[in-house]
Amino acid sequence: MMKKILALLLALVLIAGLVACTTTPEPEEPAVPDPPEVEVSPEPEEPEEEEEPVTGSAIHGAIHRVEYGDNVVYLFGTLHGGHDHWFPLADVVEDALRRSDVLAIEVDDIAEGADAMEEAIMEALFLPDGMTWAELLPTDAYDHLVEAIAGWGIPYEDVNDMNPAFLVFSLEMELVQSLAVLEVNIDASVDAYVVDVAMELGLPIIGLESIEQQIDILFHPPFEVMLAQIMSFLPPMELMERIEESGALSLDELATLYENNDLEALIHAFGLEIGADAEDLFAIYMREIVMNWRSTYYANEIIRLLQETEEPTTFFVAVGLSHIIRAGAGEEFTDIVEQLELQGFTAVPIWE
């Protein structure tokens, strides 16, 4: 089980491996003289078949345009999954991407490097200085976590030096993935497609935040928040019941809405992920920090790019769609578009 957990966590890291292969050389064949050349009449050329035009989708990702002086930002909402028939995307998205000089994404994992990402994840995986849960947690949280982990069939002795926030999050993600019969291709995500096109075009790629910041927010929350996360952690069967009762949509269901550009339904779904009336401290943290604070941070980074880039530059900014439209779910939520407008920048929808 420990190996399975580590494999799941390290799957978050982009690792490229080069394997040198050594083989025994084959004995050389004796030299054979070349046969005499014979003139052959060329065969008539067959007419080339016309290639059928590539048709993609009408997916627009709620794309907006923001201007400041001679600088422009195209703000595009992605989904962390995809279907082959989605690509290319809507003309307005493809045109904007090809007009751009720079691609900005949430985290530039290519520039960060596989070693740096793996090191950051491994640091977040374990407690510092050989600490264990018994030393870290108060009695009620410790007892609850040990009992819940036993419900997963994991002896706590095997994992009691692991960061509880990381372990709980990873096990819950593993359960969600095991419940879904995914038609969506996680590897062929919209994010990956945009990066591939940018690389083909030779565009520089930058990250809006570092991998260290993203990991710190997700896996090093304030202590009282981690305690709330632990106390809400359940064995698999009970957790499955809670997921079903929440009404949260699966990735496949979200993908259908995304493909159909059903923004109203997506806004509703994003609001369900963390209810506006959530009172649990961990749920509030997820809403206020993981969602709202990061959207605000992205908006500030976009403003910095617009204001501080001296040469006229067009940026294509690709982030998860929820960061662009979530404010519509209620006054407890915000998003990049709303934060830009609060600071005097107008994000104009250009998909209509």
Side-chain angles (χ1 to χ4, degrees), residues 246-266:
S246 72
L249 300 187
S250 69
L251 182 56
D252 281 326
E253 291 170 318
L254 290 173
T256 299
L257 299 179
Y258 184 82
E259 181 175 359
N260 295 331
N261 295 315
D262 192 341
L263 298 185
E264 289 300 320
L266 284 165

Side-chain angles (χ1 to χ4, degrees), residues 35-91:
E37 294 184 3
V38 178
E39 291 187 8
V40 179
S41 301
E43 295 182 4
E45 294 184 2
E46 295 183 4
E48 293 184 3
E49 294 183 3
E50 293 186 5
E51 292 185 5
E52 294 184 5
V54 178
T55 57
S57 68
I59 292 173
H60 57 63
I63 189 168
H64 289 68
R65 179 184 169 101
V66 189
E67 298 181 8
Y68 181 83
D70 293 328
N71 294 330
V72 174
V73 160
Y74 289 106
L75 179 60
F76 170 69
T78 69
L79 187 75
H80 305 319
H83 291 289
D84 290 340
H85 67 267
W86 283 5
F87 310 117
L89 300 163
D91 289 346

Side-chain angles (χ1 to χ4, degrees), residues 36-341:
E37 294 184 3
V38 178
E39 291 187 8
V40 179
S41 301
E43 295 182 4
E45 294 184 2
E46 295 183 4
E48 293 184 3
E49 294 183 3
E50 293 186 5
E51 292 185 5
E52 294 184 5
V54 178
T55 57
S57 68
I59 292 173
H60 57 63
I63 189 168
H64 289 68
R65 179 184 169 101
V66 189
E67 298 181 8
Y68 181 83
D70 293 328
N71 294 330
V72 174
V73 160
Y74 289 106
L75 179 60
F76 170 69
T78 69
L79 187 75
H80 305 319
H83 291 289
D84 290 340
H85 67 267
W86 283 5
F87 310 117
L89 300 163
D91 289 346
V92 65
V93 179
E94 297 288 340
D95 291 345
L97 182 52
R98 283 162 174 76
R99 284 197 212 106
S100 298
D101 305 303
V102 178
L103 171 65
I105 55 180
E106 292 183 20
V107 176
D108 182 8
D109 51 7
I110 298 173
E112 294 272 356
D115 290 343
M117 292 186 68
E118 184 176 3
E119 182 180 349
I121 289 174
M122 292 305 294
E123 285 182 3
L125 174 57
F126 293 102
L127 294 173
D129 303 323
M131 183 180 289
T132 64
W133 295 349
E135 300 168 282
L136 174 72
L137 303 174
T139 303
D140 57 343
Y142 173 83
D143 291 342
H144 179 86
L145 184 56
V146 170
E147 182 179 354
I149 284 292
W152 290 77
I154 304 174
Y156 87 96
E157 297 91 345
D158 291 351
V159 292
N160 73 342
D161 60 345
M162 294 177 67
N163 176 357
F166 207 151
L167 180 63
V168 168
F169 178 87
S170 302
L171 290 174
E172 290 179 342
M173 288 298 98
E174 181 184 27
L175 179 64
V176 169
Q177 291 174 10
S178 70
L179 291 175
V181 182
L182 287 179
E183 296 178 3
V184 172
N185 187 341
I186 302 295
D187 295 326
S189 66
V190 179
D191 311 76
Y193 170 78
V194 169
V195 169
D196 286 345
V197 172
M199 293 179 72
E200 289 174 7
L201 296 172
L203 302 184
I205 301 175
I206 61 175
L208 295 177
E209 64 177 330
S210 67
I211 186 64
E212 289 81 8
Q213 175 174 294
Q214 197 169 82
I215 286 177
D216 194 53
I217 289 172
L218 287 173
F219 305 124
H220 292 125
F223 186 69
E224 62 272 18
V225 172
M226 183 183 67
L227 292 181
Q229 180 185 14
I230 290 171
M231 297 306 291
S232 67
F233 180 54
L234 298 172
M237 294 303 296
E238 296 176 48
L239 183 57
M240 287 169 59
E241 292 176 5
R242 186 169 70 189
I243 291 171
E244 291 173 359
E245 291 172 359
S246 72
L249 300 187
S250 69
L251 182 56
D252 281 326
E253 291 170 318
L254 290 173
T256 299
L257 299 179
Y258 184 82
E259 181 175 359
N260 295 331
N261 295 315
D262 192 341
L263 298 185
E264 289 300 320
L266 284 165
I267 290 170
H268 178 71
F270 293 147
L272 282 177
E273 288 180 354
I274 301 293
D277 57 351
E279 297 180 358
D280 174 77
L281 186 59
F282 178 66
I284 293 172
Y285 177 82
M286 291 294 290
R287 184 184 69 220
E288 296 300 328
I289 303 300
V290 177
M291 297 175 186
N292 289 345
W293 185 87
R294 287 177 67 229
S295 291
T296 303
Y297 180 87
Y298 291 161
N300 290 336
E301 284 299 293
I302 289 169
I303 291 171
R304 184 182 64 80
L305 290 174
L306 287 168
Q307 291 182 330
E308 297 182 10
T309 305
E310 296 180 1
E311 294 295 324
T313 304
T314 298
F315 298 89
F316 190 94
V317 176
V319 296
L321 180 62
S322 66
H323 287 293
I324 297 175
I325 64 173
R326 193 189 294 272
E331 61 182 13
E332 293 82 3
F333 299 99
T334 191
D335 57 34
I336 295 172
V337 172
E338 182 176 71
Q339 288 299 315
L340 288 173
E341 291 176 350

